[in-house]
Amino acid sequence: TPVFVHDQLGPETLDVTRKPDPAGFQWRLPRGLPVPRVPADNPMSDAKVALGRSLFYDHRLSGNGQFACASCHQQRKAFTDGRGQAIGSTGGRHARGTMSLTNVAYNASFGWADESLTTLETQMTVPLFNEHPIEMGLRGRQDEVVARFASSREDAERFRAIFPGERPVTLENIVKAVAAFQRTLISGDSPVDRYLYRDDRAALS
């Protein structure tokens, strides 16, 4: 079973090192893994990662309020749904399966077929707005969905602290927070990791 650093596992559980990125965010990375690249317009912070985590599990982010990112990306199944074909928020069956988010911070491109999607931020528009098949089902309901968070005083204050400005609760900022959280879904405890980076000769036959 992969061990995910975002769970705040201590060094006694997983051999991790702390590495700062250019913006000063402290990554807790398994031995052998480099600091992930982060877009300049979406620097990492602990508060942003925490907000992104809560949004990732929040059903309000789907058009019908019945689905969350985590509905398809389940941690206990390596951030997939374990199905051969994914099922969207309205119950429609997809032609393809849910891709894992494990170590997604290191991807060069995203999605099954479109190599032009080179950041998590741009990729996220696909599940949010796609209609064939429907995934999160936000097309035509973007303002309604954003208003669900803007109308909550607690949510509005969290967004304002992370994204200071006239209108902190926007879909763009929601996407930025979720992407920041996804970049922390790092696993470094596979047999090959243990063999290469911990000199565990018993990890592989």
Side-chain angles (χ1 to χ4, degrees):
T1 301
V3 178
F4 296 97
V5 174
H6 82 90
D7 277 339
Q8 304 302 312
L9 297 170
E12 71 282 1
T13 308
L14 177 63
D15 185 11
V16 298
T17 57
R18 293 183 180 274
K19 299 179 182 178
D21 68 9
F25 179 77
Q26 291 289 323
W27 293 90
R28 299 178 65 245
L29 299 172
R31 187 183 299 177
L33 297 187
V35 172
R37 293 182 179 179
V38 177
D41 64 348
N42 190 23
M44 299 288 288
S45 74
D46 290 334
K48 188 183 293 182
V49 170
L51 174 61
R53 185 185 190 283
S54 66
L55 293 170
F56 185 84
Y57 290 95
D58 199 318
H59 287 71
R60 290 177 295 170
L61 195 51
S62 61
N64 59 14
Q66 302 297 311
F67 221 63
C69 302
S71 298
C72 279
H73 299 285
Q74 301 169 28
Q75 178 174 332
R76 64 189 177 89
K77 297 179 181 178
F79 291 96
T80 72
D81 57 7
R83 302 174 183 270
Q85 293 174 279
I87 295 177
S89 61
T90 58
R93 186 175 295 275
H94 294 200
R96 299 183 172 112
T98 299
M99 298 186 78
S100 174
L101 296 179
T102 307
N103 290 335
V104 75
Y106 299 112
N107 282 20
S109 63
F110 301 86
W112 283 109
D114 189 350
E115 294 183 358
S116 70
L117 301 174
T118 57
T119 68
L120 284 166
E121 290 80 0
T122 56
Q123 183 278 333
M124 217 174 300
T125 61
V126 176
L128 291 178
F129 295 109
N130 202 25
E131 291 186 290
H132 304 288
I134 289 176
E135 297 180 58
M136 298 295 281
L138 261 63
R139 186 168 297 279
R141 306 185 72 171
Q142 175 177 337
D143 292 342
E144 173 191 344
V145 170
V146 171
R148 295 173 188 170
F149 297 95
S151 62
S152 163
R153 176 178 295 181
E154 180 181 355
D155 289 329
E157 290 177 352
R158 292 183 73 184
F159 275 90
R160 190 173 296 109
I162 299 165
F163 305 103
E166 293 183 9
R167 190 170 174 238
V169 186
T170 64
L171 187 63
E172 179 183 8
N173 288 342
I174 288 172
V175 165
K176 285 183 175 181
V178 174
F181 167 67
Q182 290 177 335
R183 289 190 172 97
T184 68
L185 304 180
I186 294 173
S187 171
D189 197 40
S190 70
V192 72
D193 290 322
R194 296 195 298 272
Y195 184 89
L196 288 174
Y197 305 126
R198 302 187 202 173
D199 198 28
D200 181 357
R201 302 292 101 175
L204 293 174
S205 65

Short mmCIF file of all heavy atoms in Angstrom, two decimals, residues 41-73:
data_model
loop_
_atom_site.label_atom_id
_atom_site.label_comp_id
_atom_site.label_asym_id
_atom_site.label_seq_id
_atom_site.Cartn_x
_atom_site.Cartn_y
_atom_site.Cartn_z
N ASP A 41 2.28 31.23 -10.78
CA ASP A 41 1.08 31.95 -10.36
C ASP A 41 0.23 31.17 -9.36
O ASP A 41 -0.86 31.59 -9.01
CB ASP A 41 0.23 32.33 -11.58
CG ASP A 41 -0.31 31.10 -12.32
OD1 ASP A 41 0.15 29.98 -12.04
OD2 ASP A 41 -1.20 31.29 -13.18
N ASN A 42 0.77 30.05 -8.87
CA ASN A 42 0.04 29.29 -7.85
C ASN A 42 1.02 28.68 -6.85
O ASN A 42 1.13 27.46 -6.71
CB ASN A 42 -0.80 28.18 -8.49
CG ASN A 42 -1.76 27.54 -7.49
OD1 ASN A 42 -2.11 28.14 -6.48
ND2 ASN A 42 -2.18 26.31 -7.78
N PRO A 43 1.75 29.53 -6.11
CA PRO A 43 2.73 29.01 -5.15
C PRO A 43 2.06 28.20 -4.05
O PRO A 43 0.90 28.42 -3.71
CB PRO A 43 3.38 30.29 -4.60
CG PRO A 43 2.36 31.36 -4.82
CD PRO A 43 1.66 31.00 -6.09
N MET A 44 2.81 27.27 -3.50
CA MET A 44 2.32 26.40 -2.45
C MET A 44 2.31 27.12 -1.11
O MET A 44 3.15 27.98 -0.83
CB MET A 44 3.20 25.16 -2.35
CG MET A 44 3.25 24.31 -3.60
SD MET A 44 1.74 23.39 -3.90
CE MET A 44 1.83 22.15 -2.59
N SER A 45 1.36 26.75 -0.26
CA SER A 45 1.35 27.18 1.13
C SER A 45 0.55 26.15 1.92
O SER A 45 -0.32 25.46 1.36
CB SER A 45 0.73 28.57 1.30
OG SER A 45 -0.68 28.53 1.15
N ASP A 46 0.83 26.06 3.22
CA ASP A 46 0.12 25.10 4.05
C ASP A 46 -1.38 25.40 4.06
O ASP A 46 -2.21 24.48 4.00
CB ASP A 46 0.66 25.12 5.48
CG ASP A 46 2.06 24.53 5.58
OD1 ASP A 46 2.41 23.70 4.73
OD2 ASP A 46 2.79 24.92 6.51
N ALA A 47 -1.73 26.69 4.13
CA ALA A 47 -3.15 27.07 4.18
C ALA A 47 -3.85 26.72 2.87
O ALA A 47 -5.00 26.27 2.88
CB ALA A 47 -3.27 28.56 4.47
N LYS A 48 -3.17 26.92 1.75
CA LYS A 48 -3.78 26.62 0.46
C LYS A 48 -3.97 25.11 0.30
O LYS A 48 -5.00 24.66 -0.21
CB LYS A 48 -2.92 27.16 -0.68
CG LYS A 48 -3.57 27.05 -2.06
CD LYS A 48 -2.64 27.53 -3.15
CE LYS A 48 -2.36 29.01 -3.07
NZ LYS A 48 -1.48 29.47 -4.18
N VAL A 49 -2.99 24.32 0.73
CA VAL A 49 -3.12 22.87 0.66
C VAL A 49 -4.28 22.40 1.53
O VAL A 49 -5.07 21.55 1.12
CB VAL A 49 -1.80 22.19 1.09
CG1 VAL A 49 -2.00 20.68 1.27
CG2 VAL A 49 -0.70 22.47 0.07
N ALA A 50 -4.43 22.97 2.72
CA ALA A 50 -5.52 22.58 3.61
C ALA A 50 -6.87 22.94 3.00
O ALA A 50 -7.83 22.16 3.07
CB ALA A 50 -5.35 23.25 4.97
N LEU A 51 -6.96 24.11 2.39
CA LEU A 51 -8.20 24.51 1.72
C LEU A 51 -8.49 23.56 0.55
O LEU A 51 -9.63 23.10 0.37
CB LEU A 51 -8.11 25.94 1.23
CG LEU A 51 -9.28 26.44 0.37
CD1 LEU A 51 -10.59 26.40 1.16
CD2 LEU A 51 -9.01 27.86 -0.15
N GLY A 52 -7.46 23.27 -0.23
CA GLY A 52 -7.64 22.37 -1.36
C GLY A 52 -8.10 20.99 -0.94
O GLY A 52 -8.92 20.37 -1.62
N ARG A 53 -7.58 20.52 0.18
CA ARG A 53 -8.00 19.20 0.68
C ARG A 53 -9.48 19.21 1.01
O ARG A 53 -10.22 18.28 0.66
CB ARG A 53 -7.19 18.80 1.90
CG ARG A 53 -7.50 17.38 2.38
CD ARG A 53 -6.78 17.03 3.68
NE ARG A 53 -6.89 15.61 3.98
CZ ARG A 53 -7.97 15.03 4.49
NH1 ARG A 53 -9.04 15.77 4.77
NH2 ARG A 53 -8.00 13.73 4.71
N SER A 54 -9.95 20.25 1.69
CA SER A 54 -11.37 20.30 2.05
C SER A 54 -12.24 20.41 0.80
O SER A 54 -13.31 19.80 0.73
CB SER A 54 -11.64 21.46 3.01
OG SER A 54 -11.41 22.71 2.39
N LEU A 55 -11.80 21.16 -0.20
CA LEU A 55 -12.56 21.27 -1.45
C LEU A 55 -12.58 19.95 -2.21
O LEU A 55 -13.58 19.59 -2.84
CB LEU A 55 -11.94 22.36 -2.34
CG LEU A 55 -12.05 23.79 -1.82
CD1 LEU A 55 -11.19 24.72 -2.68
CD2 LEU A 55 -13.49 24.26 -1.82
N PHE A 56 -11.49 19.21 -2.14
CA PHE A 56 -11.37 17.93 -2.83
C PHE A 56 -12.45 16.95 -2.36
O PHE A 56 -12.94 16.13 -3.13
CB PHE A 56 -9.97 17.36 -2.57
CG PHE A 56 -9.64 16.10 -3.30
CD1 PHE A 56 -9.17 16.13 -4.61
CD2 PHE A 56 -9.76 14.86 -2.68
CE1 PHE A 56 -8.84 14.96 -5.28
CE2 PHE A 56 -9.43 13.68 -3.34
CZ PHE A 56 -8.97 13.74 -4.65
N TYR A 57 -12.82 17.05 -1.08
CA TYR A 57 -13.81 16.14 -0.50
C TYR A 57 -15.20 16.78 -0.40
O TYR A 57 -16.11 16.18 0.18
CB TYR A 57 -13.35 15.69 0.89
CG TYR A 57 -12.17 14.75 0.85
CD1 TYR A 57 -10.87 15.23 1.00
CD2 TYR A 57 -12.34 13.39 0.63
CE1 TYR A 57 -9.78 14.37 0.94
CE2 TYR A 57 -11.26 12.52 0.58
CZ TYR A 57 -9.99 13.02 0.73
OH TYR A 57 -8.91 12.16 0.67
N ASP A 58 -15.39 17.97 -0.97
CA ASP A 58 -16.64 18.73 -0.81
C ASP A 58 -17.58 18.48 -1.99
O ASP A 58 -17.26 18.77 -3.14
CB ASP A 58 -16.31 20.22 -0.71
CG ASP A 58 -17.44 21.02 -0.10
OD1 ASP A 58 -18.61 20.75 -0.44
OD2 ASP A 58 -17.16 21.93 0.71
N HIS A 59 -18.79 17.98 -1.69
CA HIS A 59 -19.77 17.69 -2.73
C HIS A 59 -20.34 18.96 -3.38
O HIS A 59 -20.93 18.88 -4.46
CB HIS A 59 -20.91 16.84 -2.17
CG HIS A 59 -20.53 15.42 -1.90
ND1 HIS A 59 -19.69 15.07 -0.86
CD2 HIS A 59 -20.85 14.27 -2.53
CE1 HIS A 59 -19.52 13.75 -0.86
NE2 HIS A 59 -20.21 13.24 -1.86
N ARG A 60 -20.18 20.09 -2.74
CA ARG A 60 -20.68 21.34 -3.33
C ARG A 60 -19.97 21.70 -4.62
O ARG A 60 -20.45 22.54 -5.38
CB ARG A 60 -20.55 22.50 -2.33
CG ARG A 60 -21.48 22.42 -1.14
CD ARG A 60 -21.22 23.55 -0.17
NE ARG A 60 -19.90 23.45 0.43
CZ ARG A 60 -19.34 24.42 1.18
NH1 ARG A 60 -19.98 25.56 1.37
NH2 ARG A 60 -18.15 24.24 1.71
N LEU A 61 -18.85 21.08 -4.88
CA LEU A 61 -18.07 21.41 -6.08
C LEU A 61 -18.63 20.74 -7.34
O LEU A 61 -18.17 21.02 -8.44
CB LEU A 61 -16.60 21.01 -5.87
CG LEU A 61 -15.57 21.58 -6.85
CD1 LEU A 61 -15.71 23.09 -6.99
CD2 LEU A 61 -14.16 21.22 -6.42
N SER A 62 -19.64 19.91 -7.21
CA SER A 62 -20.28 19.32 -8.39
C SER A 62 -21.57 20.09 -8.69
O SER A 62 -22.15 20.73 -7.80
CB SER A 62 -20.60 17.85 -8.17
OG SER A 62 -21.49 17.67 -7.08
N GLY A 63 -21.99 20.02 -9.94
CA GLY A 63 -23.17 20.77 -10.35
C GLY A 63 -24.40 20.40 -9.55
O GLY A 63 -25.17 21.28 -9.13
N ASN A 64 -24.61 19.11 -9.30
CA ASN A 64 -25.81 18.68 -8.58
C ASN A 64 -25.58 18.53 -7.08
O ASN A 64 -26.48 18.10 -6.35
CB ASN A 64 -26.35 17.37 -9.16
CG ASN A 64 -25.34 16.23 -9.11
OD1 ASN A 64 -24.33 16.33 -8.43
ND2 ASN A 64 -25.61 15.16 -9.85
N GLY A 65 -24.39 18.85 -6.62
CA GLY A 65 -24.10 18.78 -5.19
C GLY A 65 -24.05 17.37 -4.64
O GLY A 65 -24.13 17.18 -3.42
N GLN A 66 -23.87 16.38 -5.50
CA GLN A 66 -23.89 14.98 -5.08
C GLN A 66 -22.54 14.29 -5.23
O GLN A 66 -22.42 13.11 -4.94
CB GLN A 66 -24.93 14.21 -5.91
CG GLN A 66 -26.34 14.75 -5.82
CD GLN A 66 -26.90 14.67 -4.41
OE1 GLN A 66 -26.83 13.64 -3.77
NE2 GLN A 66 -27.45 15.77 -3.93
N PHE A 67 -21.53 15.02 -5.69
CA PHE A 67 -20.28 14.39 -6.09
C PHE A 67 -19.12 15.26 -5.64
O PHE A 67 -19.24 16.48 -5.55
CB PHE A 67 -20.25 14.27 -7.62
CG PHE A 67 -19.71 12.98 -8.16
CD1 PHE A 67 -20.33 11.78 -7.90
CD2 PHE A 67 -18.57 12.98 -8.95
CE1 PHE A 67 -19.85 10.59 -8.42
CE2 PHE A 67 -18.07 11.80 -9.48
CZ PHE A 67 -18.71 10.60 -9.21
N ALA A 68 -18.00 14.63 -5.36
CA ALA A 68 -16.76 15.35 -5.02
C ALA A 68 -15.63 14.80 -5.87
O ALA A 68 -15.75 13.73 -6.47
CB ALA A 68 -16.44 15.19 -3.53
N CYS A 69 -14.53 15.50 -5.91
CA CYS A 69 -13.34 14.97 -6.59
C CYS A 69 -13.00 13.59 -6.03
O CYS A 69 -12.64 12.66 -6.76
CB CYS A 69 -12.15 15.90 -6.40
SG CYS A 69 -12.38 17.59 -6.99
N ALA A 70 -13.15 13.47 -4.70
CA ALA A 70 -12.80 12.24 -4.02
C ALA A 70 -13.76 11.10 -4.32
O ALA A 70 -13.48 9.95 -3.97
CB ALA A 70 -12.74 12.47 -2.52
N SER A 71 -14.89 11.38 -4.96
CA SER A 71 -15.81 10.30 -5.32
C SER A 71 -15.16 9.36 -6.33
O SER A 71 -15.39 8.15 -6.30
CB SER A 71 -17.10 10.88 -5.90
OG SER A 71 -17.77 11.69 -4.95
N CYS A 72 -14.38 9.92 -7.24
CA CYS A 72 -13.66 9.11 -8.22
C CYS A 72 -12.22 8.83 -7.80
O CYS A 72 -11.65 7.81 -8.15
CB CYS A 72 -13.64 9.79 -9.59
SG CYS A 72 -15.15 9.56 -10.55
N HIS A 73 -11.64 9.77 -7.06
CA HIS A 73 -10.23 9.64 -6.65
C HIS A 73 -10.17 9.30 -5.17
O HIS A 73 -10.02 10.18 -4.32
CB HIS A 73 -9.48 10.94 -6.96
CG HIS A 73 -9.46 11.29 -8.41
ND1 HIS A 73 -8.65 10.64 -9.32
CD2 HIS A 73 -10.15 12.22 -9.12
CE1 HIS A 73 -8.83 11.16 -10.52
NE2 HIS A 73 -9.74 12.11 -10.43
#
